[in-house]
């Protein structure tokens, strides 16, 4: 722990004055809110069934308009990707540099849970609450799949941004609206899945606009987004909740809707309005050291936070004490204790697995290798999304789930992730090797 504090302190002290520290604050704060939201929304019954607190207390769905902050993370990603690609324009080199800190900890997470699931099934211990855990633990991986797509598409979308500015964002937003029209008015099958790309890439495009100082009226952006989301929800068929709800006919999240894009506009405008006080806050040395330290472990913590939460509930079940019914007074009274326990367990898991998130030393810029890197990214993306829908239950039974219209199993999805990671890494190394040998080698 002392070494990690020293490293964070040294990195914080070496931060150039030109760095936008507020963006780093938004990154860790948004992921932190997501983690706490997952811990809070898990309404586990005494029988081991996992429900959603927002379904138990529907009045709480309104708070998702403030605490559904995943659009903020993708917005920050767009900002960071624009700067990173401009500093390392080679496609294979850019992909490898950006994806390593995603794919290394993700493959380790998937490998550990895959091995645990296999052992549990072989010993017959994969039923009941354990089976629920095997199904749930991979669900947040959809976020990493979407982020992989954002990284892969940054170069062409950045070129569109540099030529068209707000017009490139408007094209993506218009496409998202058209998809919803075809979905709800024309009832065109499968068209809604296009919005996994269009909605989130539109939010990502806002990050490009921020990188070039083109979000000049955040109050207008926030007001327009809030009014648009409110109008769409009031008129239907969009639900109130901005997160997914079990059993709902229409979700704003899976797949994303134009209402969620409006929600993203409102949040982006809001965080831009808070830029002044946020920048002053993160300028404090102690706060900045905390942000630097948190950024160094953010992906590891995100990957393992549900494991920690499930571990806390497993301990509660193992104690033999009856769990209080969700949303009762006794349940709310336990929330601080459950959060503290989950936080401690997450910290322990981070201590074990954080080394896989550590960035590699940057090598010389590379050219070439783009097609292999792109293929690797696509394979990894499909694998991660596949794991998010299948979970790790029934590995030996051929259990499958449908990814859009294609059945996928957990072993096949894991193989895609591993193959994709190897392709991306080898493409970057191969490109640098060719450049070192020169054209006459």
């Amino acid at each position: 722990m002392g070494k990690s504090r020293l490293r964070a302190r040294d990195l914080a002290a070496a931060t150039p004055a030109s760095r936008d520290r507020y963006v780093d604050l938004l990154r860790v704060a948004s992921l932190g809110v997501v983690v706490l939201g997952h811990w809070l929304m898990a309404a586990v019954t005494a029988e081991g069934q996992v429900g959603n607190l927002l379904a138990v207390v529907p009045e709480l769905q309104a708070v998702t308009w403030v605490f559904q902050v995943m659009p903020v993370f993708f917005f920050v990603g767009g900002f960071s990707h624009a700067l990173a690609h401009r500093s390392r324009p080679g496609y294979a080199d850019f992909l490898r540099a950006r994806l390593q800190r995603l794919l290394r900890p993700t493959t380790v997470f998937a490998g550990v849970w895959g091995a645990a699931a296999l052992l549990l099934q072989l010993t017959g211990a994969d039923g009941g609450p354990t089976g629920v855990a095997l199904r749930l633990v991979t669900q947040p991986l959809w976020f990493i799949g979407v982020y992989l797509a954002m990284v892969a598409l940054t170069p062409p979308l950045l070129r569109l941004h540099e030529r068209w500015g707000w017009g490139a964002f408007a094209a993506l937003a218009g496409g998202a609206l058209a998809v919803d029209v075809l979905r709800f008015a024309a009832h065109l099958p499968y068209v809604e899945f296009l919005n996994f790309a269009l909605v989130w890439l539109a939010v990502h495009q806002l990050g490009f606009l921020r990188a070039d100082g083109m979000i000049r009226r955040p109050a207008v952006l926030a007001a327009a987004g809030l009014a648009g989301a409110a109008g769409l929800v009031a008129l239907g068929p969009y639900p109130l909740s901005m997160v997914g709800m079990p059993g709902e006919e229409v979700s704003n999240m899976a797949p994303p809707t134009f209402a969620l894009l409006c929600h993203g506009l409102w949040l982006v405008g809001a965080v831009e309005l808070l830029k002044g006080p946020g920048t002053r806050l993160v300028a404090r040395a102690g706060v900045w050291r905390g942000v630097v330290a948190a950024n160094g472990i953010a992906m590891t913590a995100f990957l393992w936070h549900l494991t920690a939460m499930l571990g806390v509930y497993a301990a509660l079940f193992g104690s033999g004490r009856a769990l209080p019914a969700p949303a009762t007074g006794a349940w709310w009274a336990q929330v601080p204790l459950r959060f503290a326990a989950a936080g401690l367990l997450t910290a322990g898991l981070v201590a074990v697995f954080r080394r896989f998130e550590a960035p590699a030393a940057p090598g010389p810029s590379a050219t070439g290798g783009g097609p292999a890197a792109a293929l690797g990214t696509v394979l990894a993306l499909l694998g991660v999304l596949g794991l998010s829908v299948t979970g790790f239950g029934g590995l030996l039974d051929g259990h499958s789930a449908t990814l859009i219209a294609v059945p996928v199993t957990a072993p096949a999805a894991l193989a895609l992730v591993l193959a994709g990671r190897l392709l991306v890494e080898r493409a970057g190394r191969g490109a640098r090797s060719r450049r070192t040998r020169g054209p006459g080698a």
Side-chain angles (χ1 to χ4, degrees), residues 352-375:
V352 173
F353 295 108
R354 63 176 297 172
R355 64 182 181 275
F356 298 105
E357 189 176 350
S365 295
T367 57
L375 176 60

Side-chain angles (χ1 to χ4, degrees), residues 65 219-235 258-259 262-263 265-266:
W65 288 50
V220 173
L221 193 66
L226 189 58
L232 289 169
V233 169
L235 295 173
F258 188 71
C262 290
H263 171 70
L265 289 175
W266 131 249

Side-chain angles (χ1 to χ4, degrees), residues 194-211:
L194 291 174
N195 269 352
F196 274 113
L198 294 170
V199 168
W200 291 127
L201 288 176
V203 174
H204 189 248
Q205 205 79 8
L206 291 170
F208 296 166
L209 292 163
R210 187 190 192 279

Side-chain angles (χ1 to χ4, degrees), residues 77-78 81-82 85 89-100 102-103 144-159 201 204-205 208 370-382 420 424:
H81 295 157
H85 185 257
Y91 189 56
D93 204 34
F94 167 75
L95 284 182
R96 184 171 184 268
R98 301 305 291 179
L99 295 186
Q100 182 187 44
L102 283 174
L103 291 179
I144 294 177
V146 171
Y147 204 75
L148 287 170
M150 290 176 173
V151 174
L153 293 172
T154 286
L157 290 179
L158 187 58
R159 286 194 292 271
L201 288 176
H204 189 248
Q205 205 79 8
F208 296 166
L375 176 60
T377 305
V378 171
L379 294 179
L381 182 157
L382 293 174
V424 170

